[in-house]
Amino acid sequence: NMKVDMKKTWLIIALSSLFALGLTGCGGSDSAEGPTEDKQELVEEPVQEVQASGGFDSEIKLPTGESYILSSPSKFTPGKFASGVVVGQSNYIFNVTTKNGGTADLDLAVLIVQGSTSSGACVDVFDGDNNINGAPTEPLAAGKSLTFGWALSCPGNAGDELAVKLLSGETALIEAKGKLS
């Protein structure tokens, strides 16, 4: 009699454990996805006033003394190991030239590049084969200038408006506008 009761007890414990795991598995994935989606939307929501704006290929100066030139983005074929490429979107490469006309070192490692078209937000492409490795990690000394490459995967068609903002942390520095090629 005691053995039968123990088997029933273990069976009930095992079944209720499986049931509980099943429930937390379902509930866990729903709650894990929810906040992630919300955070992605929140990142794109705040529209910040840029300190200076202009077109591609023109120098855009900030009151702080630094300036930026974003070359006109041109279509390119990312390398085999590139990341950030979105299937069905076009990939654009351009150069960012920074001149530090200020008196202190300029921290370029915190630069964020945000591109958008009338069809939606662009995604950063990192591509070692095409020397697209993100923002420089070394500070730019006062009086110096530096050029580095950047690439974006953007929705839209040739002739659509393309806007590229440079942000330093939370601060929107500049915006360059032009058309997709």
Side-chain angles (χ1 to χ4, degrees):
N1 248 356
M2 190 72 159
K3 282 186 177 179
V4 173
D5 286 344
M6 285 301 286
K7 281 184 182 175
K8 280 185 186 172
T9 306
W10 281 113
L11 184 61
I12 290 169
I13 290 171
L15 286 174
S16 58
S17 296
L18 282 173
F19 186 69
L21 282 174
L23 282 179
T24 55
C26 292
S29 67
D30 288 347
S31 62
E33 287 170 23
T36 307
E37 289 169 12
D38 292 345
K39 280 181 190 161
Q40 287 174 350
E41 287 174 30
L42 288 175
V43 168
E44 294 170 6
E45 286 302 319
V47 176
Q48 297 177 332
E49 201 59 43
V50 292
Q51 296 175 21
S53 60
F56 293 116
D57 300 314
S58 63
E59 187 174 26
I60 303 172
K61 290 186 177 188
L62 292 173
T64 52
E66 72 227 49
S67 68
Y68 298 89
I69 300 172
L70 276 62
S71 67
S72 290
S74 57
K75 277 190 175 180
F76 84 111
T77 302
K80 187 173 166 182
F81 303 108
S83 66
V85 176
V86 179
V87 176
Q89 293 189 169
S90 297
N91 302 298
Y92 295 90
I93 192 169
F94 56 95
N95 284 322
V96 178
T97 300
T98 307
K99 288 182 187 165
N100 185 356
T103 55
D105 285 359
L106 194 57
D107 185 6
L108 298 175
V110 298
L111 279 184
I112 298 168
V113 178
Q114 288 181 340
S116 62
T117 68
S118 48
S119 301
C122 302
V123 178
D124 290 333
V125 173
F126 296 99
D127 183 358
D129 294 336
N130 285 294
N131 203 26
I132 305 300
N133 303 311
T137 53
E138 296 291 317
L140 183 61
K144 299 287 184 186
S145 66
L146 174 75
T147 300
F148 59 95
W150 204 273
L152 295 170
S153 182
C154 296
N157 301 308
D160 287 359
E161 184 82 16
L162 171 64
V164 179
K165 281 185 184 178
L166 285 189
L167 290 85
S168 176
E170 297 288 312
T171 308
L173 299 175
I174 66 152
E175 181 176 53
K177 286 186 173 181
K179 304 252 184 238
L180 292 178
S181 55

